[in-house]
Amino acid sequence: MELLSENRAFGGRHCRYRHRSTVNNCDMTFAVYLPPFATADNPVPVLYWLSGLTCTDENFMQKAGAMKIAAELGMAIVAPDTSPRGEGVPDDPEGAYDMGQGAGFYVNATQSPWQDHYQMYDYVTSELPALVEAELPVTGERAISGHSMGGHGALVIGLRNPNRYVSVSAFSPVANPTDCPWGQKAFSHYLGDDKSSWQAYDAAALLAEKTHYVPLLVEQGRADQFLTEQLKPKALVNAAQKSDTPLTLNMHEGYDHSYFFITSFIDEHLQFHASHLGLI
Ligand SMILES: N[C@@H](CCC(=O)N[C@@H](CS)C(=O)NCC(=O)O)C(=O)O
């Protein structure tokens, strides 16, 4: 993989890398924060962060204010891009922000013209961790978090792979994508009209089934402009009750969908993951 940039931050390093992705069939860029003292002899666990619509690997690292606490906790953070990109990678023909490049929804597309590149589920769960664990001073211990579309991705990936992630959290997640306009649009294009194939990518549907337990923490602002039409956190509460699964959902008066909300509560999420990763 090719190092694009390296900057010292809080005694550690923020690096951006580009590499060839086999599953997405294009070059991918990701960002990593490595805390101080992360070395081959002292590898550290990783929190994967999945961003939302319109984001790249850069939004979280620059706006969330997570690096200081990650440095103190001794935790690496890996932030992938939100979709495949580049020439030859299909995009929404009308340039919509909620489909195509910047909007991969962390699924493995099965439909034309998307399926040759949009394999973000396999990228995040398999290809990227294998690369990161081979090339960087990290262990195989993983936690996962994300925002909005990335909150959906984190919940789905964590619920489907409870043995590979020790803890899962989300900010303002798209909780029930099969029942909201963002999810229905994306899934019908990426996965096709057979809605039975959508269930494997719906956090509320997965949580309603009895699965192996993974600790879950969700943060949601009550003044989020997407709350009632797109995010639907109540679906998570209902699902958790149905399967009798513990779920912590914190609702916050006055907070919106932006990174101002994320930066206000990111410390608690890093500490939550650190406790499950054995760092505190
Ligand atoms: N562009 C869309 C919304 C896009 C949006 O809110 N994106 C969120 C994730 S869903 C985000 O993180 N944006 C980038 C940022 O704030 O840095 C709109 O204005 O309706």
Side-chain angles (χ1 to χ4, degrees):
M1 58 187 188
E2 178 193 354
L3 180 66
L4 299 177
S5 65
E6 176 168 348
N7 299 90
R8 181 151 288 236
F10 300 104
R13 292 180 286 152
H14 174 272
C15 301
R16 297 182 72 223
Y17 291 96
R18 180 161 55 213
H19 70 104
R20 187 73 195 169
S21 164
T22 308
V23 296
N24 285 332
N25 191 22
C26 66
D27 286 349
M28 293 292 294
T29 300
F30 71 92
V32 57
Y33 178 69
L34 291 166
F37 313 116
T39 62
D41 293 335
N42 182 38
V44 296
V46 182
L47 173 67
Y48 286 83
W49 173 270
L50 306 183
S51 284
L53 293 166
T54 73
C55 291
T56 67
D57 63 286
E58 296 188 286
N59 301 65
F60 179 77
M61 294 297 189
Q62 294 179 7
K63 295 170 100 172
M67 286 183 276
K68 184 166 188 279
I69 306 288
E72 288 168 13
L73 292 168
M75 180 193 289
I77 303 174
V78 169
D81 203 346
T82 52
S83 76
R85 285 183 205 270
E87 253 179 70
V89 175
D91 199 359
D92 186 278
E94 279 139 35
Y97 74 93
D98 55 0
M99 266 296 300
Q101 296 189 29
F105 271 84
Y106 306 101
V107 303
N108 289 336
T110 56
Q111 305 298 303
S112 181
W114 312 102
Q115 83 275 37
D116 291 344
H117 296 280
Y118 285 73
Q119 301 294 322
M120 287 299 287
Y121 181 86
D122 281 352
Y123 178 70
V124 171
T125 56
S126 301
E127 188 179 37
L128 181 62
L131 179 73
V132 164
E133 287 161 24
E135 301 282 335
L136 296 172
V138 301
T139 68
E141 292 164 294
R142 309 171 194 164
I144 192 160
S145 185
H147 173 228
S148 195
M149 173 184 75
H152 135 78
L155 291 171
V156 164
I157 286 170
L159 288 166
R160 284 175 58 174
N161 302 278
N163 301 326
R164 283 164 51 198
Y165 299 87
V166 301
S167 45
V168 180
S169 79
F171 289 79
S172 334
V174 183
N176 196 189
T178 60
D179 188 33
C180 78
W182 277 344
Q184 288 168 342
K185 179 176 175 183
F187 286 8
S188 61
H189 283 88
Y190 295 144
L191 304 174
D193 293 333
D194 175 8
K195 293 189 178 173
S196 64
S197 68
W198 297 11
Q199 298 301 312
Y201 295 109
D202 186 291
L206 293 167
L207 187 56
E209 292 165 16
K210 199 83 191 155
T211 50
H212 294 291
Y213 174 63
V214 59
L216 293 172
L217 173 63
V218 177
E219 231 63 42
Q220 177 64 58
R222 287 194 195 276
D224 188 319
Q225 57 272 43
F226 300 114
L227 180 62
T228 46
E229 193 190 6
Q230 305 282 8
L231 307 178
K232 306 194 176 187
K234 191 76 172 62
L236 284 182
V237 175
N238 294 342
Q241 276 168 359
K242 193 168 171 204
S243 60
D244 199 20
T245 306
L247 162 73
T248 303
L249 168 63
N250 299 319
M251 300 295 296
H252 297 277
E253 217 57 59
Y255 285 90
D256 63 22
H257 195 64
S258 70
Y259 267 89
F260 290 102
F261 173 53
I262 297 171
T263 195
S264 301
F265 297 98
I266 194 67
D267 292 8
E268 285 88 336
H269 280 241
L270 293 191
Q271 277 150 1
F272 164 75
H273 292 295
S275 72
H276 292 287
L277 288 164
L279 293 170
I280 48 177

